[in-house]
Amino acid sequence: NIDRSIRLIMGTAYGERPMRPDFGCGIHDLLFDSTSLELLGQVQAQVVASLRRWETRADILDVSATYGDDPTVINIQVTYRIKGNYDPRNLLVPFYVIPREEDQ
């Protein structure tokens, strides 16, 4: 259930839910930004902040964002531990960006 919750949080843009406009993750605002290391850092920061706020059943141990073979795909790896458990878990979530014309 926590894996699904993490995917739901990351897959929901702010303002998408009428009764909870602050629920979700800000990575969707970065969809059209230039592909760069700065973008990876922003994605990582947005994911960490959102998961720590909304997924209280887990301790977020690490979030990393890297480009795959295709620069339009950012692989977001979340390492977390269920509270009260010492077994770390990993979840890989792809995030697709649309680079500007000058980036291609």
Side-chain angles (χ1 to χ4, degrees):
N1 288 339
I2 292 178
D3 281 1
R4 279 187 274 178
S5 175
I6 290 172
R7 288 181 189 276
L8 177 68
I9 293 165
M10 292 173 58
T12 303
Y14 291 136
E16 189 173 333
R17 293 192 170 198
M19 301 304 275
R20 289 184 105 175
D22 56 341
F23 178 82
C25 187
I27 60 176
H28 305 279
D29 295 335
L30 306 172
L31 187 64
F32 296 103
D33 282 10
S34 296
T35 54
S36 66
L37 293 177
E38 182 181 337
L39 175 61
L40 294 178
Q42 290 174 339
V43 166
Q44 182 179 357
Q46 290 287 337
V47 170
V48 168
S50 293
L51 293 181
R52 287 194 174 145
R53 178 175 184 192
W54 294 109
E55 185 44 78
T56 58
R57 299 172 295 171
D59 293 319
I60 305 305
L61 303 175
D62 186 47
V63 173
S64 65
T66 57
Y67 290 108
D69 294 334
D70 182 353
T72 63
V73 179
I74 297 175
N75 294 313
I76 304 169
Q77 182 164 336
V78 179
T79 304
Y80 67 94
R81 180 177 55 224
I82 298 171
K83 290 191 177 183
N85 190 335
Y86 296 104
D87 182 28
R89 298 171 182 226
N90 291 306
L91 178 66
L92 182 65
V93 180
F95 178 65
Y96 300 92
V97 294
I98 302 169
R100 296 181 197 162
E101 293 283 327
E102 66 265 10
D103 292 342
Q104 296 181 359

